[in-house]
Structures are given as C-alpha cells and as structure tokens.
Amino acid sequence: MKRLTAYALFLALLLSGCGASADPDTAQESIQVIAMDTAMLITTYGERSVPAAYAAEDCIRDLEAKLSRTIEDSEVSRLNAAGGEPVEIGEDLWELLDLARSYSDYTGGAFDITIAPVVSAWGFTEDSFQVPFPATVKKLLMLVDMTSVSQSPYPLTGEGPLTASLGPGQEIDLGGIAKGYAADKLVEVFKEHACPRALAQLGGNVLAYGGRPDGTPWRVGIQDPARPDDKNAFAGVLELTDAFAVTSGGYQRYFEQDGKTYHHIIDPATGYPADSGLTSVTVVADCETPEGYRTGTMCDAFSTALFVMGEEKALDLWRSWTAPAFELVLVTEDGRVVVTGGLKDRFTPDESSGYAYETVS
C-alpha cells in the first residue's frame, strides 16, 4: 500500500492554478477521490476537463469494485473465497494476474501478490496491527507461491469467458499493483477526452500527463522518509512530463510494539517487514511507450519489489533491464540518495535535507 508521499507539493501546484485564465487549453477541473484505501487528487485540463475528471473517477471506482480484497463481492474476494476452484473474472483482473506473474519472475519473487495471508497476519489489511507468532508466519509462508495461481488462456478471438484459480488456502492482494494499473487506465481516459494535460496522484502513484500549462514539466516532490510527518520535507524534486512516478517506503504505514517499529512492506521470502537498508524507493518511467506497455503498473510493482531487494539488487535490475526503461531514486538508511543516470537532469536535490547525493550509471 502506498500513501501520500508528495501531497503538499502536489496540492500547492494545483492550488497555484486556481483563478487562471479560462482559455480552453488551461481550463481545469480538480476532484478528490477516496478509493483503494487512498486519498486521490485528479486535475484535468482542456475544454472537456470536467467530463474527463469524472470519467477518471468512474474508472477508479470501477477498478476498486473489481480488485479490492476488502469488498465482499469483488472479483478478487470471490477468487480468494473459492477454495481453489476456478472463478470467472474480467479482463482487468486477468491482465493483472498475468502481469503480477511476470513481475514475480523478474524480481526473483520479491513481488508476490500471494503474500496476502501473511499481510493479514500482521494486521495491515484490517488495521489491527500485531506481531504474529513465528510459527504462524512459517505456516502462512507455505501459501506464498505465484506458480499456484492459474488462469485460462486469453481467447484468440478476444471473446469468451476468462477464469482464474488459486492454490488451496491461498489469497491474493493487489495493493502493490492496482493503483499503478489504475494510473495506466487513466492515460486512456485522458486520451479519450482529448485532455492536453492532466495530473493525478493516486496515493504514492503520480501520473504527470503532458506538461504544465506554461509548457514546463510538473514538479513532484519525493517525501523525505526521515521526516514523514512534515509534508513539506522532501528528499528531492522530480520534473516530469508524460511520466509516472511511484514511491514505496517503510515510513508510509507502520506500527510500534515493545519499542520496535514494523512497517507494511513484507518480504515474501521471510514473512517479516523487509530489512533491505532502504527507506524509500521511487520508480519513474514514461507513460508513452511504442509497444503500449503498462509502465504505471510496472512502476508500482517494482517500487515494492526493489524496496524488498535492497540497493545493490535494485540497481542490478535497473542496469540489466531493456525496455521499457525506468529510472530510480533510492533513499538509504545510511543517509544517501541514489539517483540513476536517466534522471540526472530531472532531479533536484534538497541540499538542506542532510542527505549525501549520488548519481549512478
């Protein structure tokens, strides 16, 4: 789950547009949406900014109704409750299961949607936080296995029922990928409504569609994990045009017990909060790709997985990745901010933060 990581800067940018000219290209509509357990802010521009904004909300609510683990009649809930029997699903869930399997493979299992029972044991799904018994964690880890998730082949004609099934006792949670998928779908909504530009924050998932009305990139702050209660405290600022930026961090959701802090990003290999030496990971990628790849979904999954994997393995994956390209901003426990080379001209450090900044290639 990714909460508000750049909200203050994001909101300030939106508010700065209030009272602007009514020129068709700069006319805007801003709406707040509470969905997917997240406060979302969507601003659209252009002559059709109003219908575009509300079409975006409809898109998000439709996905939530299908993909939420906590909505009783959602497709995910029906799949989780089926006891291993096949369940008919829609195209969105079918595609997400297919993508989740790929990301699990790419990350060596660091991303795994079958972690759901373990996450529940920690109380993060129900907000009833607790440290589970080691024996409980060990037992539930036996259910974490993407290879047990099955789905029907996609029909060549594009028509016909789609089904999926889980292994006995398994459950899935799409919290680490669904908002990225929603952001990808919003790109389609904005194109359909001929929006020249739009800015959407779905929790820690930011979509900068087009550029600002004055032609400059959107400025998106990366929350300083060391100062999570200060929404004006940033590790740096990204300048983005037609891009996604997704941040995951242990500071976003956590609890304390017996003097120890436990965050919500669970390592599928151990069943415990990831201890990787990172405090946040931001993944950036273009939203326009020649092959139509869902880069928002990729950024969402990778931000979680790379947090689990740690700095060295995260950079190894970045260096070995071919297409579509992505870039990283890694904030480490030892006080460094590591920025990959493709962001060199799009990232501004906050020199007052006390971090040491590094650019890697």
Side-chain angles (χ1 to χ4, degrees), residues 133-358:
F133 290 113
T136 299
V137 174
K138 183 177 180 180
K139 180 180 179 181
L140 293 176
L141 275 178
M142 297 175 66
L143 301 174
V144 181
D145 181 8
M146 271 302 299
T147 64
S148 296
V149 179
S150 301
Q151 58 192 119
S152 60
Y154 198 86
L156 295 178
T157 61
E159 299 178 357
L162 300 171
T163 63
S165 63
L166 308 178
Q170 280 192 316
E171 294 184 21
I172 60 169
D173 188 328
L174 300 177
I177 194 172
K179 287 188 284 293
Y181 184 77
D184 278 316
K185 300 288 277 191
L186 290 190
V187 173
E188 298 174 9
V189 171
F190 298 151
K191 287 181 178 179
E192 180 182 346
H193 287 79
C195 286
R197 58 189 54 81
L199 191 60
Q201 183 184 13
L202 316 182
N205 297 54
V206 174
L207 163 61
Y209 182 75
R212 298 173 70 184
D214 63 3
T216 61
W218 297 104
R219 289 170 57 81
V220 177
I222 297 175
Q223 178 71 46
D224 182 356
R227 297 175 288 170
D229 296 328
D230 183 354
K231 297 306 178 184
N232 293 309
F234 302 107
V237 177
L238 291 164
E239 295 185 354
L240 302 177
T241 301
D242 285 324
F244 299 102
V246 182
T247 299
S248 289
Y251 65 92
Q252 294 169 335
R253 197 177 190 195
Y254 60 90
F255 69 95
E256 295 182 3
Q257 183 171 314
D258 299 327
K260 186 173 181 179
T261 299
Y262 301 90
H263 63 73
H264 73 290
I265 304 178
I266 305 299
D267 184 343
T270 67
Y272 286 83
D275 183 14
S276 65
L278 297 175
T279 56
S280 84
V281 172
T282 299
V283 184
V284 179
D286 293 340
C287 63
E288 296 289 350
T289 58
E291 64 274 22
Y293 197 93
R294 294 203 182 278
T295 47
T297 310
M298 177 190 72
C299 288
D300 205 2
F302 279 180
S303 69
T304 300
L306 300 185
F307 185 95
V308 171
M309 293 165 67
E311 178 183 353
E312 184 177 345
K313 290 182 178 179
L315 292 176
D316 285 345
L317 179 61
W318 170 71
R319 291 185 178 105
S320 64
W321 196 253
T322 52
F326 67 89
E327 302 294 336
L328 299 173
V329 179
L330 309 177
V331 184
T332 71
E333 289 181 351
D334 60 4
R336 294 175 297 117
V337 176
V338 181
V339 182
T340 56
L343 293 177
K344 181 178 180 180
D345 298 325
R346 293 188 285 165
F347 178 82
T348 302
D350 181 349
E351 301 295 352
S352 67
S353 67
Y355 287 108
Y357 290 87
E358 305 174 10

Side-chain angles (χ1 to χ4, degrees), residues 15 26 72 89 99 129 164 187 204 224 281 299 314:
L15 292 178
T26 59
E72 187 175 352
I89 61 174
L99 290 171
F129 308 125
V187 173
D224 182 356
V281 172
C299 288

Side-chain angles (χ1 to χ4, degrees), residues 117-139:
V118 182
V119 174
S120 287
W122 285 90
F124 286 111
T125 304
E126 299 80 9
D127 286 336
S128 55
F129 308 125
Q130 61 183 353
V131 178
F133 290 113
T136 299
V137 174
K138 183 177 180 180
K139 180 180 179 181

